[in-house]
Amino acid sequence: MDCWIRQYLTPHTHTHRTRSGSESNTGKTGATDFNLRKGIASMASPDELLEAVDLHCYSNNRAHHTDEVDTERLVLRRGQPFTLTVKCRTQPLQHLIEQLTLVLHVGKDSGTGIKVSGSEARSDKWRLSVQPAQRELLVTVSSPASAPIGLYRMDVVLHSQGGQVLQQIPAGHFYLLFNPWCKDDPVFLPDEEMLQEYILNETGLLYQGSWENIHAVPWNFGQFERDIVDVCFEILDNSLSALKDPGADSLQRSDPVYVSRVVTAMINANDDKGVLLGRWSGDYSGGTSPTRWTGSVPVLRQWSRSGGERVRYGQCWVFTGVACTVLRCLGIPTRCITNYSSAHDTDGNLQVDRYYSETLESLPDKRNDMIWNYHCWVESWMARRDLPAGFDGWQVLDPTPQERSDGIYCCGPCPVKAIKEGNIDLKYDASFIFAEVNADLVCWIVDKKGSCSQTALQCHQVGRSISTKSVHGDKREDVTQHYKYPEGSAMEREVYAKAGLKNSVLNSIEKSLQIGIKHVQAVNGSDFDIYVEVSNKSFEDKDIGLTIVAKTVTYNGIQLQECHRKTSAFSVKASNAKKEVLRLKYEHYGQHLSEHHLIRITALLEQKGRGEVILHERNISLSTPQLAVKIIGEPVVSRKLTAQITFVNPLPITLSEGVFTIEGAGLTDMQEIQSPKEIKPGQEVTVSVSFKPTKPGLRKLLVDFDTNKLRDVKGCASVIVRGKNM
């Protein structure tokens, strides 16, 4: 499809000046006088030579891997040429061709002006070449790989030999993005499979659950959906730095380090006109529960349409999914990461402390250190020219507001290599991220007098099963080895020493009494058993007391309610072991569960007569059956399809206030469908929703189901959509 920008001229008698300076009427438009003796042409109306500009939106966008963004507007990637056609009213002459230039403006209002001419030969500058073709000029424009990203306004200008402007016509606007296909761009990624996944894939998987019960949640990034590119630049324009100094901010957008850091600050709304407000309390009145979001597009559109009012509510995977959308849309290769048993170290001592009373009641810690059952962030691919050599590649960026960095809630970019090597002084926020995957967990018992005794030091419990979606389909890739050396290895200890981690693995002595916690498959709505095994590694029998407590928790470590407890006393023979069973029934935990479906088991062992205590914990992620999604009809662009969604109530209680939410990039905007008023235990409910696909290719329809007592039930269906003419 051609994108024409026309300069409309008044179709009347045109007045122009002769060489003597007197005025005369030609009686027609566009007359040209030739002076054959001198071999030059003089224009009777030189300002009428240029008539219109064709931006070749479809072909340019296709060449720049942006045709999914738009085919009616020009969307380009820097460091790569694009073509324009300038239509002329008469056949142009060579000396006029050489006097054709472009004037670009980037930034708000008039912005920064850039003159582009054919005389510039340097690759780090804007440049153009012009070829005549009858009454058209074929213009090839090359942008430098260091050009600021943003919205550019473009004019075509014709100069006289003396430099005077003879004619200037508007040539429209274009967006310029980072270019991971360009070897001179800091975001260059020389792997086509990775580019397909980390730039062009509009759907993906986020990982939740626990490190021993990992489950994938589909997410619709939708970075190429209608108007999302506009929203992404609107986010940058509303950052604190852009509002303070728009000109300086616009120029700094040439640097992916700067842009990605701005994005992490703007995805949360803690300091600025950011996108999402986080909430972890369980009360989501006045907004949307974080578990109901199935993609980034509704979040971004709601923020934009409300004039920048923060969207309620997000948690770490929502912040991560939205950040991934924005960064991929801007052209920075990005993937989502989940770190299981993720430490939140508030004071920078690389240690997380938990305090308990003698009856295993949790006691507040003034430092508010926590271990999240899982935590999500993104990695973006870029060169780090601001750091010493060796730190290019994947960079951690965390948009979830946890701690301030340079005075605002943002985190990164920090090289993954810096985390693995213990270089915690490198920017940005390496110390905080290092603790997330390496901190020690120390548990303390506080007696009635306030004295503390250390009961557990867990040095390898933090930073487990670090996961991302594979480039090879919907498989999980474990990237823990990118963040950490093998546990117990000499390199791991060397890194700990470099980072200053007071790790007691080096001089710890294996205790004669040990605790292990196991459980069968735990399904929400069912009863299940938990096995606590006490092992006696010594050569003498030991009398012990054992307390087992089950508490519901949120995924970020907040303890909610004790739901069951068991206390027992027994003897464990030398070199032997004994199991205790705690049976958890739905009636124990059902009404206390958070939307994250997590239960924490804490076991406290005390050897009688010795006063020695040992504590061990384990989080259990309850499984919830998925929705069944069936597509009915022939998947063709603009042809009606029907999705049939089936849910079976797995709980022994009646559910109400059920809402199905569906969306899918290239398939449908977000839709909501109410379920029947009540869904009894074991009852099957089926709803249908219709939509018309808007884009061809492999697409995914994502579905969420929430009720008053059960949330975060997911389902998805893959759809291969054909084009209309295929």
Side-chain angles (χ1 to χ4, degrees):
M1 182 178 295
D2 293 336
C3 307
W4 282 99
I5 307 295
R6 289 190 175 275
Q7 171 71 22
Y8 292 101
L9 301 175
T10 306
H12 298 300
T13 300
H14 190 85
T15 301
H16 68 280
R17 291 193 177 273
T18 65
R19 290 182 183 178
S20 64
S22 61
E23 294 182 351
S24 66
N25 292 331
T26 64
K28 57 183 178 180
T29 302
T32 304
D33 297 326
F34 291 91
N35 187 329
L36 298 179
R37 288 177 299 169
K38 294 185 178 181
I40 61 172
S42 61
M43 296 290 298
S45 299
D47 59 332
E48 295 181 5
L49 176 66
L50 310 180
E51 181 182 9
V53 180
D54 182 1
L55 301 180
H56 298 297
C57 296
Y58 180 82
S59 58
N60 279 322
N61 290 5
R62 190 172 182 82
H64 285 244
H65 303 93
T66 60
D67 49 314
E68 286 277 339
V69 180
D70 209 324
T71 56
E72 297 182 356
R73 295 187 301 169
L74 194 56
V75 183
L76 305 169
R77 298 191 187 276
R78 65 185 192 175
Q80 182 174 340
F82 62 97
T83 58
L84 312 172
T85 298
V86 180
K87 186 176 181 181
C88 303
R89 291 189 176 274
T90 62
Q91 184 168 343
L93 299 181
Q94 185 62 39
H95 82 279
L96 293 174
I97 295 170
E98 294 171 355
Q99 291 155 213
L100 190 78
T101 62
L102 295 181
V103 176
L104 307 177
H105 295 274
V106 59
K108 289 185 176 180
D109 302 324
S110 59
T112 301
I114 304 166
K115 183 178 179 181
V116 187
S117 68
S119 62
E120 183 59 65
R122 291 170 51 184
S123 62
D124 61 343
K125 299 290 184 181
W126 287 85
R127 58 196 190 281
L128 62 78
S129 63
V130 183
Q131 291 182 327
Q134 295 182 341
R135 293 176 63 180
E136 292 182 339
L137 299 175
L138 304 180
V139 182
T140 300
V141 186
S142 296
S143 63
S146 58
I149 65 167
L151 180 62
Y152 285 72
R153 178 170 59 85
M154 179 168 52
D155 292 329
V156 177
V157 181
L158 188 63
H159 294 271
S160 68
Q161 289 179 320
Q164 181 183 0
V165 175
L166 300 177
Q167 186 179 1
Q168 178 170 331
I169 65 171
H173 297 76
F174 64 86
Y175 277 119
L176 191 68
L177 310 177
F178 292 110
N179 191 353
W181 283 269
C182 175
K183 63 180 179 61
D184 295 323
D185 196 309
V187 301
F188 174 59
L189 183 57
D191 185 309
E192 189 59 36
E193 275 192 313
M194 294 174 72
L195 288 167
Q196 290 293 323
E197 179 66 35
Y198 302 137
I199 287 288
L200 300 180
N201 195 350
E202 289 192 88
T203 60
L205 298 174
L206 308 178
Y207 292 96
Q208 298 181 356
S210 63
W211 69 269
E212 56 186 354
N213 185 21
I214 296 171
H215 66 265
V217 176
W219 191 263
N220 177 39
F221 298 116
Q223 67 268 27
F224 301 140
E225 289 291 271
R226 173 182 44 82
D227 67 25
I228 293 302
V229 67
D230 304 284
V231 179
C232 291
F233 280 105
E234 187 180 350
I235 289 170
L236 297 184
D237 289 341
N238 278 277
S239 70
L240 293 176
S241 53
L243 295 175
K244 181 179 179 181
D245 190 341
D249 170 75
S250 177
L251 293 177
Q252 288 187 85
R253 291 184 191 177
S254 63
D255 182 6
V257 174
Y258 173 81
V259 171
S260 63
R261 188 160 171 80
V262 169
V263 170
T264 67
M266 282 297 296
I267 296 304
N268 71 75
N270 284 44
D271 308 288
D272 40 39
K273 294 180 68 176
V275 177
L276 274 161
L277 179 65
R279 177 167 288 185
W280 286 264
S281 66
D283 177 11
Y284 306 115
S285 56
T288 300
S289 168
T291 58
R292 285 193 60 191
W293 301 114
T294 55
S296 308
V297 174
V299 175
L300 292 169
R301 285 179 176 163
Q302 181 177 327
W303 176 82
S304 178
R305 290 168 181 171
S306 67
E309 182 177 339
R310 56 192 182 178
V311 177
R312 297 171 167 85
Y313 296 100
Q315 291 177 2
C316 74
W317 69 91
V318 186
F319 289 107
T320 293
V322 174
C324 186
T325 296
V326 174
L327 291 164
R328 285 187 184 181
C329 184
L330 296 177
I332 302 176
T334 302
R335 63 187 186 182
C336 298
I337 299 291
T338 298
N339 176 41
Y340 289 94
S341 297
S342 185
H344 180 178
D345 177 25
T346 60
D347 57 6
N349 69 346
L350 305 180
Q351 178 174 298
V352 173
D353 297 287
R354 284 186 184 157
Y355 295 88
Y356 297 90
S357 70
E358 294 173 303
T359 58
L360 280 187
E361 299 293 332
S362 296
L363 301 177
D365 171 22
K366 62 182 179 180
R367 289 188 295 272
N368 294 317
D369 285 353
M370 284 184 169
I371 292 183
W372 295 35
N373 199 57
Y374 63 86
H375 180 51
C376 300
W377 58 68
V378 298
E379 287 178 359
S380 289
W381 183 274
M382 66 187 74
R384 290 302 300 270
R385 297 170 181 173
D386 58 325
L387 297 179
F391 295 103
D392 296 345
W394 290 116
Q395 313 287 320
V396 173
L397 292 154
D398 191 349
T400 301
Q402 295 187 88
E403 298 295 326
R404 292 184 185 273
S405 173
D406 292 339
I408 61 174
Y409 281 100
C410 67
C411 183
C414 173
V416 173
K417 293 177 183 177
I419 304 305
K420 184 171 184 177
E421 300 300 332
N423 295 301
I424 63 173
D425 294 328
L426 289 179
K427 59 184 182 183
Y428 292 91
D429 312 305
S431 179
F432 180 79
I433 299 166
F434 182 89
E436 287 184 298
V437 299
N438 286 303
D440 288 343
L441 170 61
V442 183
C443 297
W444 305 84
I445 295 293
V446 182
D447 62 22
K448 294 178 181 178
K449 297 180 180 180
S451 299
C452 296
S453 59
Q454 183 176 314
T455 66
L457 171 64
Q458 299 179 26
C459 306
H460 294 132
Q461 296 301 308
V462 168
R464 310 187 75 162
S465 301
I466 304 175
S467 303
T468 190
K469 178 187 175 297
S470 169
V471 297
H472 307 295
D474 291 345
K475 300 177 182 177
R476 184 181 72 89
E477 179 182 349
D478 193 302
V479 295
T480 308
Q481 74 278 9
H482 296 170
Y483 284 83
K484 308 169 73 170
Y485 284 100
E487 292 179 359
S489 67
M491 284 302 301
E492 181 201 39
R493 296 178 181 184
E494 183 179 317
V495 167
Y496 283 170
K498 183 193 295 186
L501 184 63
K502 296 179 175 63
N503 189 292
S504 300
V505 170
L506 301 176
N507 53 18
S508 63
I509 301 174
E510 187 179 74
K511 295 184 178 181
S512 59
L513 285 173
Q514 297 179 0
I515 308 175
I517 301 175
K518 297 181 180 179
H519 62 89
V520 298
Q521 178 67 36
V523 178
N524 191 5
S526 301
D527 304 341
F528 58 94
D529 292 329
I530 297 155
Y531 303 94
V532 178
E533 183 176 84
V534 179
S535 300
N536 181 3
K537 303 293 185 180
S538 72
F539 297 104
E540 61 177 357
D541 297 349
K542 295 192 175 184
D543 295 324
I544 64 168
L546 180 66
T547 302
I548 309 171
V549 176
K551 294 182 179 180
T552 53
V553 293
T554 62
Y555 86 101
N556 63 329
I558 298 174
Q559 300 193 43
L560 299 177
Q561 183 76 37
E562 180 178 317
C563 51
H564 202 37
R565 173 186 289 255
K566 181 178 181 179
T567 302
S568 56
F570 48 85
S571 177
V572 183
K573 295 189 178 298
S575 302
N576 215 323
K578 182 175 175 58
K579 287 183 180 178
E580 284 290 300
V581 180
L582 177 71
R583 185 162 186 79
L584 267 184
K585 298 182 178 181
Y586 179 78
E587 62 191 62
H588 293 145
Y589 66 82
Q591 62 179 333
H592 306 303
L593 273 181
S594 74
E595 66 269 30
H596 309 114
H597 311 149
L598 285 169
I599 296 174
R600 177 174 294 164
I601 305 299
T602 305
L604 181 68
L605 180 152
E606 182 176 5
Q607 184 178 354
K608 293 185 177 180
R610 295 285 184 90
E612 181 182 353
V613 292
I614 302 172
L615 184 144
H616 189 64
E617 290 185 331
R618 188 161 192 171
N619 287 346
I620 298 175
S621 175
L622 305 185
S623 299
T624 299
Q626 289 194 326
L627 302 170
V629 184
K630 181 180 179 181
I631 303 297
I632 301 172
E634 186 179 2
V636 178
V637 170
S638 299
R639 185 176 297 179
K640 183 177 177 181
L641 282 178
T642 299
Q644 195 175 77
I645 306 162
T646 302
F647 167 75
V648 179
N649 182 4
L651 304 185
I653 60 172
T654 298
L655 303 176
S656 60
E657 302 172 20
V659 179
F660 292 90
T661 304
I662 75 162
E663 69 167 305
L667 293 176
T668 177
D669 291 342
M670 190 176 72
Q671 298 187 52
E672 291 187 348
I673 306 97
Q674 302 292 325
S675 74
K677 289 185 178 180
E678 290 190 341
I679 308 173
K680 299 185 181 302
Q683 181 180 344
E684 179 178 289
V685 171
T686 299
V687 299
S688 295
V689 59
S690 297
F691 56 93
K692 292 181 179 180
T694 57
K695 296 179 182 179
L698 178 61
R699 304 289 168 183
K700 282 190 177 180
L701 186 72
L702 310 185
V703 188
D704 171 79
F705 182 58
D706 275 16
T707 71
N708 62 329
K709 296 294 185 181
L710 180 64
R711 294 176 177 174
D712 204 21
V713 184
K714 305 292 187 184
C716 70
S718 296
V719 187
I720 300 177
V721 181
R722 294 189 293 108
K724 290 181 181 179
N725 300 321
M726 295 178 65

